[in-house]
Amino acid sequence: MFARLALCSRLPSRIWQINACSVSIRAFSQAKFVVPRSHGKSFVHRGELKQAKRIVVKLGSAVVTRGDECGLALGRLASIVEQVAMLQNQGREMMIVTSGAVAFGRQRLRHEILLSQSVRQALHSGQNQLKDMSVPVLEARACAAAGQSGLMALYEAMFTQYSICTAQILVTNLDFHDEQKRRNLNSTLHELLRMNIVPIINTNDAVVPPPVPNSDLQGVNVISIKDNDSLAARLAVEMKVDLLIALSDVQGLYDSPPGTDDAKLIDIFYPGDQQSITYGTKSRVGIGGMEAKVKAALWALQGGTSVIIANGTDPKVTGHVITDIVEGKKVGTFFSEVKPAGPTVEQQTEMARHAGRTLASLHPEQRGEIICCLAELLTEKKDEILSANKKDMEIATASGRFSQPLINRLSLSTSKLNSLAIGLRQLAVSSRDSVGRVLRRTRVANNLELEQITVPIGVLLVIFESRPDCLPQVSALAIASGNALLLKGGKEASNTNKILHQLTQEALSIHGVADAIQLVSTREEVEDLCRLDKLIDLIIPRGSSQLVRNIQRAAKGIPVLGHSEGVCHVYIDSEASIDKAMDVVRDSKCDYPAACNAMETLLIHRDLLRTPVFDQMIDMLRAEHVKIHAGPRFASYLTFSPSEVKSLRTEYGDLECCIEVVDSMQDAVDHIHKYGSSHTDVIVTENEDTAEQFLQQVDSACVFWNASSRFADGYRFGLGAEVGISTARIHARGPVGLEGLLTTKWVLRGEGHTVADFSEQGSMKYLHENIPVPQGGF
């Protein structure tokens, strides 16, 4: 028997099928179901969906059928089958509840009728020219009967490509209400799942009563396709399914009908939220609607099955919508029985935006007072801050999951807090001429004046790993620039971040804008945050190069400000001072090797090899316990060389560096352009002409002469604080301080001027005269 079963994946014509009598799906959806005893709790968070073992995928009529409702959307269906097969081959138990038999049959019968008519017409007319032919209204049950076998053969052929066998099961309402049939159905499904077969389940539409006409469909000969929402929910509970994925032609559940002005997609829906929803019309096909889907979803949820309603027709996401859901990504609407205590991230963003507008309207001195208050709190509450930080350090160290550079970034100290407070006070003073500053004034024409003024960007999202000192820095810059702020820190610093955020909100509350800065503490994935393009205006990542690259890839329509790597170079020229070279290299590499502005590659002029300068440099690095990796050219000069570098683009973030040999200053510049990350690069030389050429030619955000790369920092530049270092070539570049968080708007003041006034026949002429802007003009 099992040998015969193994062949079924290679025999498209072999279909496992169960037929039964049917009652209409309409009657089925109206039946009062008695919820069986819950087989367990549904998942509370999306992240738990990865644990789902048994999954039902319900394909709505709009997903399976083409736009003309005559035939199947084959490409879309193939993509869905591929995802189901992938999950099945991962060891999950997959079931499909599908529509589409009526559409498939309608296409087939329509073709047969047209062919028959054309033959008869040709025989009667005796000529090849055919008259216009009309197709009679096709009865849905006949279409279903004609389409069931074709639909199943299609599924069988598609799943065969992945060596997966399928079985067709046709059910009716009676199969759930007759105890014996219910047990038989349950037993059959369990046996199929045990044999690693994917059941394809549908209502037996060939014997149901005619559907009720749909008033929202236009045109002639339109057939409504059955939906299976209640069937999928009932099946999920009967089979103790972990997850029900209901795919339709909308993104999920909205708080009002999709397409209306204020409609918002609901991320998580709770049973108690039903009264706040306004339902619109149903989809273009099917006899259900969103209200029916919600009722079915809540019934399944009550029975212990998690439910997600999502879009299965959007070509941008269809190819991965099912796998994304199972991976816990924010797709569609997730039904949950447990409502979190705090607001959702969308609600937090709205709160921040609203309070941020008030923050931007404060007088500059008031924003300065908030920053000074935060600086005072950092020193007053240092014991509490350091206690929370110690707890984070202990947990991170004990877990063994974090590298030493990451743990170093996690650490806070009294001196760090004091430095932070000094930087914040400095920022409070410099921020007084930020928001609302007039950059230029132009007299466009008589009594028509134009101003360009600085304004906040809007809502910032800052995502940072470790480095809890980033939180007060970025918060102070957001306050100074009048921006709302959403903070997402790593869980390794959760205790420290929590108290620092509390202190920030305490400072903000002195002028009633505590909500302007929000800390995202929910189980929100970074990738999901990057999709909030309608809520967030700028993303600033602070962390590893991998984090930054991931955010740059995940950001959908939101600009990202930052750098992915900090591959910084120090070039020792042939005319370098040995003392300066030693000091600059030691500080650049050893002061704080985990920083993004630490030296990662040391370039040495070829003439310095086998000289006291070179020998002392190597001895110093070894004394500082710096592990040396040899570049290809450097290794060729040595008989016994250190380990050869794997890549000249490596950011070590630790007491390690690469040493490479170059022939000249120009060779060093070429090397930096080829292997660097446009972050910070340094030349050490006593030759002013050579230094100036280096400073002009190197295309990096920061270029230094006889100074440590560690100076690439907002505080050290006098910016007070920084949100990070940007290597982008637009907007802000280098250490991004207050100015980098401002944009501009144009304000035009006139007296009823119109463009027509300036036409050839008009009475006015453009002047475009620059008007001096007084210092400190607002």
Side-chain angles (χ1 to χ4, degrees):
M1 175 181 178
F2 286 101
R4 193 181 305 121
L5 287 175
L7 291 173
C8 72
S9 65
R10 297 188 293 274
L11 298 174
S13 62
R14 182 180 294 273
I15 299 174
W16 298 76
Q17 182 169 329
I18 297 174
N19 295 292
C21 304
S22 174
V23 180
S24 73
I25 190 69
R26 186 161 170 263
F28 175 52
S29 64
Q30 291 175 345
K32 293 183 179 179
F33 303 133
V34 178
V35 180
R37 183 176 61 86
S38 174
H39 62 265
K41 291 290 186 181
S42 58
F43 296 122
V44 176
H45 305 288
R46 287 181 182 266
E48 297 174 340
L49 297 180
K50 297 175 184 177
Q51 305 169 24
K53 170 73 173 177
R54 185 170 292 175
I55 302 172
V56 168
V57 178
K58 181 262 176 182
L59 305 180
S61 304
V63 175
V64 177
T65 61
R66 296 198 315 236
D68 60 5
E69 303 169 31
C70 185
L72 304 180
L74 297 179
R76 190 185 302 150
L77 202 57
S79 176
I80 289 170
V81 166
E82 181 180 15
Q83 295 172 77
V84 172
M86 183 187 304
L87 295 172
Q88 179 79 5
N89 287 330
Q90 289 176 359
R92 304 179 197 269
E93 297 174 343
M94 305 298 297
M95 291 181 277
I96 294 179
V97 174
T98 183
S99 302
V102 176
F104 196 90
R106 181 174 186 267
Q107 180 188 36
R108 182 176 175 184
L109 293 180
R110 192 168 186 268
H111 175 77
E112 293 295 329
I113 291 171
L114 289 173
L115 181 62
S116 175
Q117 287 181 345
S118 65
V119 171
R120 286 199 305 271
Q121 196 171 44
L123 290 174
H124 289 304
S125 65
Q127 58 185 356
N128 293 329
Q129 185 175 1
L130 303 179
K131 299 177 181 178
D132 292 338
M133 294 177 292
S134 61
V135 181
V137 175
L138 300 175
E139 204 271 331
R141 288 172 296 182
C143 292
Q148 288 285 5
S149 60
L151 177 64
M152 191 59 208
L154 182 62
Y155 274 117
E156 184 75 12
M158 287 181 173
F159 275 105
T160 295
Q161 305 302 312
Y162 306 97
S163 301
I164 291 177
C165 185
T166 59
Q168 182 182 25
I169 298 180
L170 298 176
V171 298
T172 67
N173 195 36
L174 187 61
D175 296 317
F176 290 101
H177 288 275
D178 184 288
E179 187 61 29
Q180 184 60 49
K181 289 187 176 184
R182 180 170 163 271
R183 283 199 299 266
N184 291 345
L185 175 61
N186 192 290
S187 175
T188 300
L189 287 170
H190 276 94
E191 183 66 11
L192 293 173
L193 294 176
R194 187 185 67 81
M195 293 188 291
N196 201 34
I197 295 172
V198 175
I200 309 292
I201 307 154
N202 194 3
T203 52
N204 193 349
D205 293 330
V207 295
V208 298
V212 176
N214 294 285
S215 59
D216 62 322
L217 297 180
Q218 299 178 352
V220 297
N221 306 331
V222 176
I223 295 179
S224 296
I225 310 299
K226 294 290 186 183
D227 70 53
N228 291 302
D229 297 310
S230 51
L231 168 62
R234 182 64 187 260
L235 185 73
V237 176
E238 290 286 341
M239 293 298 295
K240 297 180 171 57
V241 166
D242 299 313
L243 173 62
L244 167 59
I245 300 174
L247 298 183
S248 184
D249 58 351
V250 292
Q251 301 298 331
L253 179 61
Y254 288 79
D255 57 1
S256 57
T260 56
D261 289 340
D262 297 324
K264 293 180 181 178
L265 180 66
I266 298 173
D267 174 34
I268 305 177
F269 186 77
Y270 308 97
D273 293 343
Q274 297 178 66
Q275 304 303 320
S276 63
I277 303 300
T278 303
Y279 297 102
T281 58
K282 64 178 199 60
S283 66
R284 61 178 174 83
V285 289
I287 66 169
M290 185 53 72
E291 186 172 8
K293 289 176 174 58
V294 171
K295 288 180 179 178
L298 292 174
W299 190 86
L301 184 68
Q302 188 179 358
T305 296
S306 294
V307 183
I308 284 187
I309 296 178
N311 194 332
T313 63
D314 186 346
K316 295 180 180 179
V317 300
T318 301
H320 47 82
V321 60
I322 298 173
T323 50
D324 280 356
I325 288 171
V326 176
E327 288 174 10
K329 295 181 180 178
K330 185 177 284 189
V331 179
T333 299
F334 174 57
F335 286 72
S336 175
E337 291 186 295
V338 180
K339 195 165 188 175
T344 66
V345 67
E346 289 85 0
Q347 291 170 335
Q348 283 186 289
T349 309
E350 291 287 358
M351 291 161 59
R353 185 182 292 278
H354 179 74
R357 290 183 177 130
T358 304
L359 174 67
S361 69
L362 294 177
H363 195 276
E365 277 74 15
Q366 291 176 305
R367 289 193 294 272
E369 288 171 5
I370 295 173
I371 298 171
C372 287
C373 178
L374 177 57
E376 294 298 326
L377 288 170
L378 289 178
T379 53
E380 288 177 10
K381 305 288 186 179
K382 66 179 179 180
D383 291 339
E384 296 175 38
I385 298 171
L386 295 177
S387 175
N389 185 246
K390 181 182 178 182
K391 187 183 297 184
D392 286 330
M393 291 283 290
E394 290 172 349
I395 295 172
T397 304
S399 70
R401 294 187 294 108
F402 300 100
S403 64
Q404 192 57 47
L406 205 63
I407 291 177
N408 291 343
R409 289 175 180 173
L410 177 60
S411 175
L412 285 181
S413 63
T414 300
S415 61
K416 269 191 179 182
L417 292 175
N418 289 336
S419 295
L420 276 172
I422 293 170
L424 264 55
R425 293 187 186 98
Q426 186 180 24
L427 177 64
V429 175
S430 63
S431 67
R432 290 174 182 172
D433 58 349
S434 55
V435 181
R437 186 173 75 256
V438 180
L439 300 179
R440 60 181 295 181
R441 296 179 68 193
T442 303
R443 181 174 290 108
V444 178
N446 288 330
N447 299 318
L448 185 64
E449 292 189 1
L450 178 69
E451 287 182 345
Q452 184 186 20
I453 63 173
T454 57
V455 293
I457 290 173
V459 178
L460 313 178
L461 168 62
V462 176
I463 302 170
F464 56 102
E465 289 178 322
S466 296
R467 296 198 62 173
D469 56 322
C470 171
L471 194 152
Q473 279 188 352
V474 173
S475 297
L477 282 167
I479 295 166
S481 58
N483 283 291
L485 177 62
L486 211 61
L487 293 158
K488 173 65 173 176
K491 60 183 179 182
E492 67 278 1
S494 59
N495 292 297
T496 316
N497 288 338
K498 183 178 179 181
I499 187 169
L500 288 173
H501 178 249
Q502 289 172 349
L503 298 178
T504 302
Q505 288 201 311
E506 183 178 338
L508 286 163
S509 65
I510 67 174
H511 286 297
V513 288
D515 288 340
I517 297 179
Q518 299 283 330
L519 179 65
V520 179
S521 55
T522 60
R523 297 164 62 106
E524 211 74 31
E525 296 292 337
V526 168
E527 187 172 339
D528 294 327
L529 291 171
C530 293
R531 293 176 178 171
L532 301 176
D533 57 302
K534 291 182 173 61
L535 299 174
I536 293 168
D537 301 298
L538 179 67
I539 300 176
I540 304 173
R542 295 285 304 270
S544 67
S545 58
Q546 188 61 50
L547 170 73
V548 179
R549 282 194 296 267
N550 289 343
I551 290 172
Q552 288 171 334
R553 281 194 297 266
K556 305 297 182 184
I558 310 175
V560 178
L561 182 70
H563 67 281
S564 58
E565 292 173 311
V567 183
C568 303
H569 298 75
V570 174
Y571 164 57
I572 308 301
D573 186 55
S574 60
E575 299 179 67
S577 159
I578 184 170
D579 292 334
K580 292 178 183 177
M582 296 286 287
D583 290 341
V584 168
V585 171
R586 179 188 288 110
D587 192 73
S588 296
K589 179 72 260 184
C590 307
D591 175 66
Y592 188 20
C596 63
N597 58 11
M599 181 194 78
E600 305 295 2
T601 298
L602 174 61
L603 300 176
I604 297 182
H605 194 285
R606 181 185 58 186
D607 293 348
L608 296 179
L609 291 177
R610 301 185 178 91
T611 66
V613 175
F614 176 76
D615 293 338
Q616 289 182 43
M617 186 68 66
I618 297 299
D619 290 342
M620 180 272 293
L621 290 173
R622 286 175 174 167
E624 296 286 350
H625 307 290
V626 177
K627 183 178 180 180
I628 297 172
H629 302 275
R633 288 197 62 189
F634 181 44
S636 68
Y637 285 97
L638 305 174
T639 304
F640 300 101
S641 69
S643 61
E644 189 166 339
V645 69
K646 294 180 180 179
S647 170
L648 290 168
R649 294 188 175 92
T650 303
E651 181 181 14
Y652 299 100
D654 205 348
L655 285 173
E656 297 181 60
C657 75
C658 167
I659 296 181
E660 183 58 310
V661 174
V662 292
D663 293 331
S664 63
M665 181 276 294
Q666 189 60 53
D667 195 15
V669 170
D670 293 341
H671 178 102
I672 290 169
H673 287 165
K674 185 174 183 179
Y675 299 109
S677 61
S678 301
H679 192 294
T680 302
D681 298 291
V682 178
I683 183 173
V684 181
T685 184
E686 294 302 297
N687 188 312
E688 185 175 350
D689 291 338
T690 301
E692 288 300 329
Q693 289 182 53
F694 183 90
L695 297 176
Q696 292 298 320
Q697 291 185 36
V698 172
D699 185 21
S700 295
C702 301
V703 190
F704 301 159
W705 173 24
N706 289 345
S708 168
S709 62
R710 292 279 292 123
F711 278 105
D713 175 82
Y715 169 69
R716 297 184 181 104
F717 278 10
L719 304 180
E722 66 174 36
V723 294
I725 295 180
S726 171
T727 55
R729 285 170 171 78
I730 57 173
H731 190 50
R733 197 170 190 221
V736 181
L738 178 60
E739 294 295 326
L741 299 181
L742 295 171
T743 185
T744 64
K745 73 176 179 182
W746 298 88
V747 177
L748 186 65
R749 295 181 175 90
E751 294 183 358
H753 292 76
T754 66
V755 172
D757 295 334
F758 297 87
S759 64
E760 290 184 2
Q761 294 78 28
S763 59
M764 303 191 72
K765 291 185 179 181
Y766 290 109
L767 299 177
H768 294 145
E769 298 173 350
N770 289 330
I771 303 173
V773 177
Q775 188 168 359
F778 283 84

